[in-house]
């Protein structure tokens, strides 16, 4: 409507003035309802052509979209395992800090496992004490075996000496018995030393390994016990939280609530522009938004990022071949907007629905001295007609409360 009115000022109005003041034709006599097309055909034709061209330029170089929202992230409050609620530490709509406990599940099984792990450690410590006593006994047995071996060796040496001197007191049988006894005592000494080595192996290898296993079981039981208490992973506000003592929480079928992180969705908006605007919507461009939650206010924005893919084209591997024909609805070019001046969107709640205009600026290109006259004129026109879209956005901002409250009743 604005474009038609502006174009008529330079087409239909001059045509009418020419007919009236130059040709002497008067409205109502020569120019009436039935002859208006014939008399003003040149002005009407030029007005329609200029209006269509103007609308095309405005909507292409200064795109607009009502698909603008300040999306925010939510964190589901879940436990790692299913269980019955034993304690609840927070209430709905309560603000929490990272690390604050939210609720606790029944931990009797985990406490029993922790107690069992502690008893295993005590058993290993008792086994260490017993092993140290056994080592003392084994060392004493080694001393005893060494003394017995020494005694037999001395008796054997004495009898061999007497036998070498030709004494008849020592017989061959006595010497053989002592030699056999020497082998027996040597075996006893080896067995005693092996017993000491076995006890040392228990003290240095087996029991430390058992203690490490028991400590690992204790740590695992402690971790499982700590998992029974669900903590806030980030600072935020608890929403949709109606958990009561005795409720069953299941990480797959029944979450406990939602945690909205602090600052999520603030000062950042996502706008989905038509695909035809892909060559116009660029990083660093200027934009404006008007939100339903903050009427009568236009917020200047800057495009900080443009998503380099279109979500409508994504596919996932399945057991059927994907055909391109069902993709009837074209996706949008997603641009991320942030306010130029800090604080202007602080009172806009995350999730608000907004309307956004993006504007093409050719200021840097117009500074090129090699730019032709026609090209320079066209770029000036493109920058100038952005005022039409800006005026339209402000008009919609003024009419927004009337539209929402009167005509739609929302």
């Amino acid at each position: 409507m604005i474009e038609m009115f502006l174009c008529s000022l330079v087409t239909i109005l001059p045509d009418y003035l020419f007919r009236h003041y130059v040709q002497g034709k008067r409205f109502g006599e020569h120019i009436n309802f039935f002859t208006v097309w014939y008399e003003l055909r040149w002005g009407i034709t030029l007005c329609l052509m200029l209006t269509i061209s103007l609308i095309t330029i405005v909507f292409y170089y200064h795109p607009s979209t009502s698909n603008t929202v300040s999306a925010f992230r939510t964190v589901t409050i879940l436990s790692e395992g299913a269980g019955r609620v034993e304690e609840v530490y927070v209430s709905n709509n309560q603000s929490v800090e990272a690390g604050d406990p939210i609720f606790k599940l029944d931990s009797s099984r985990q406490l029993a496992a922790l107690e069992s792990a502690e008893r295993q450690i005590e058993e290993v410590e008792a086994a260490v004490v017993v092993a140290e006593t056994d080592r003392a006994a084994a060392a004493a047995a080694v001393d005893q075996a060494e003394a017995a071996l020494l005694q037999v060796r001395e008796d054997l040496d004495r009898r061999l000496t007497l036998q070498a001197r030709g004494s008849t007191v020592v017989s061959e049988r006595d010497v053989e018995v002592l030699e056999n006894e020497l082998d027996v005592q040597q075996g006893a000494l080896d067995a005693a030393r092996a017993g000491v080595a076995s006890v040392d192996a228990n003290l240095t290898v087996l029991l430390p390994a058992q203690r490490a296993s028991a400590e690992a079981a204790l740590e695992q039981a402690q971790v499982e016990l700590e998992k029974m208490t669900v903590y806030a992973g980030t600072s935020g506000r608890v929403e949709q939280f109606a958990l009561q003592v005795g409720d069953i929480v299941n990480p797959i079928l029944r979450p406990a609530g939602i945690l909205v992180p602090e600052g999520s969705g603030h000062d950042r908006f996502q706008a989905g522009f038509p695909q035809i605007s892909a060559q116009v919507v660029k990083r660093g461009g200027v934009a404006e938004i008007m939100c339903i939650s903050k009427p009568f206010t236009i917020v200047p924005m800057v495009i900080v990022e443009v998503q380099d893919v279109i979500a409508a084209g994504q596919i996932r591997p399945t057991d059927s071949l994907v055909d391109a024909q069902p993709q009837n609805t074209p996706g949008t070019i997603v641009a991320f907007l942030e306010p130029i001046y800090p604080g202007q969107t602080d009172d806009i709640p995350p999730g608000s629905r907004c309307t956004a205009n993006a504007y093409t600026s050719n200021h840097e290109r117009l500074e090129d001295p090699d730019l032709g006259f026609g090209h320079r004129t066209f770029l000036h026109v493109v920058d100038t007609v952005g005022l039409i879209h800006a005026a339209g956005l402000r008009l919609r901002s003024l009419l927004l409360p009337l539209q929402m409250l009167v005509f739609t009743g929302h």
Side-chain angles (χ1 to χ4, degrees), residues 30-300:
H30 302 93
I31 304 176
N32 52 45
F33 181 78
F34 299 99
T35 63
V36 65
W37 161 250
Y38 179 78
E39 295 294 342
L40 302 178
R41 59 189 181 275
W42 292 106
I44 294 175
T45 302
L46 291 176
C47 180
L48 292 176
M49 295 175 61
L50 187 59
T51 301
I52 294 174
S53 301
L54 185 60
I55 292 175
T56 303
I57 293 175
V58 169
F59 279 90
Y60 179 78
Y61 288 100
H62 310 285
S64 176
T65 178
S66 58
N67 299 320
T68 305
V69 64
S70 56
F72 60 94
R73 181 75 168 88
T74 60
V75 179
T76 305
I77 302 176
L78 287 174
S79 59
E80 293 193 18
R84 188 177 299 276
V85 178
E86 187 178 81
E87 292 183 59
V88 179
Y89 303 107
V90 299
S91 59
N92 195 32
N93 299 327
Q94 179 178 336
S95 297
V96 295
E97 299 294 331
D100 290 348
I102 298 179
F103 66 92
K104 179 182 179 182
L105 297 179
D106 179 33
S107 56
S108 56
R109 180 169 58 86
Q110 287 73 22
L111 287 173
L114 182 64
E115 183 71 18
S116 177
E118 291 176 349
R119 299 290 82 78
Q120 288 179 0
I121 292 180
E122 293 179 358
E123 290 178 2
V124 173
E125 292 176 349
V128 170
V129 175
V130 173
E132 290 176 350
T133 304
D134 291 342
R135 192 190 187 288
V142 170
D143 294 339
Q144 183 180 1
E146 288 178 347
L149 178 63
L150 180 61
Q151 181 65 39
V152 172
R153 182 177 287 113
E154 290 177 352
D155 290 343
L156 178 61
D157 291 341
R158 185 170 54 252
R159 289 180 184 271
L160 289 174
T161 302
L162 293 175
Q163 187 181 30
R165 293 176 180 178
S167 175
T168 59
V169 178
V170 179
S171 63
E172 291 293 335
R173 178 62 182 168
D174 293 338
V175 173
E176 291 177 358
V177 170
L178 288 176
E179 287 178 349
N180 293 334
E181 183 66 21
L182 181 64
D183 293 338
V184 171
Q185 293 301 326
Q186 184 64 47
L189 178 60
D190 293 340
R193 288 174 176 173
V196 173
S198 176
V199 175
D200 288 340
N202 287 336
L203 286 171
T204 59
V205 179
L206 179 60
L207 292 178
Q210 292 179 350
R211 182 181 180 85
S213 298
E215 290 176 349
L218 179 63
E219 292 179 1
Q220 182 179 1
Q222 186 67 37
V223 170
E224 294 296 329
L225 179 62
E226 293 175 355
K227 287 182 180 180
M228 293 298 101
T229 302
V230 178
Y231 299 89
T234 181
S235 301
R237 181 179 294 272
V238 177
E239 301 290 349
Q240 300 180 11
F241 187 82
L243 203 62
Q244 301 294 329
V245 175
D247 288 348
I248 298 294
V249 176
N250 191 301
I252 299 177
L253 302 176
R254 192 177 182 185
I258 293 176
L259 177 64
V260 180
E262 182 180 345
S264 177
H266 288 282
D267 297 333
R268 194 173 181 90
F269 294 78
Q270 294 77 37
F273 292 96
Q275 289 189 21
I276 197 172
S277 305
Q279 305 304 317
V280 176
V281 179
K282 298 295 182 180
R283 181 179 180 180
V286 179
E288 291 180 329
I289 64 170
M290 179 269 298
C291 298
I292 299 177
S293 58
K294 192 177 182 180
F296 305 117
T297 303
I298 304 297
V299 181

Side-chain angles (χ1 to χ4, degrees), residues 260-341:
V260 180
E262 182 180 345
S264 177
H266 288 282
D267 297 333
R268 194 173 181 90
F269 294 78
Q270 294 77 37
F273 292 96
Q275 289 189 21
I276 197 172
S277 305
Q279 305 304 317
V280 176
V281 179
K282 298 295 182 180
R283 181 179 180 180
V286 179
E288 291 180 329
I289 64 170
M290 179 269 298
C291 298
I292 299 177
S293 58
K294 192 177 182 180
F296 305 117
T297 303
I298 304 297
V299 181
M301 310 289 287
V302 61
I303 301 175
V304 296
E305 195 64 54
V306 178
Q307 186 171 287
D308 57 354
V309 295
I310 298 177
Q314 63 180 326
I315 60 173
R316 293 183 178 180
T318 62
D319 55 355
S320 60
L321 193 62
V322 178
D323 192 358
Q325 184 176 359
Q327 308 293 334
N328 294 325
T329 303
T332 58
I333 302 296
V334 179
F336 300 91
L337 312 178
E338 291 184 359
I340 296 179
Y341 305 104

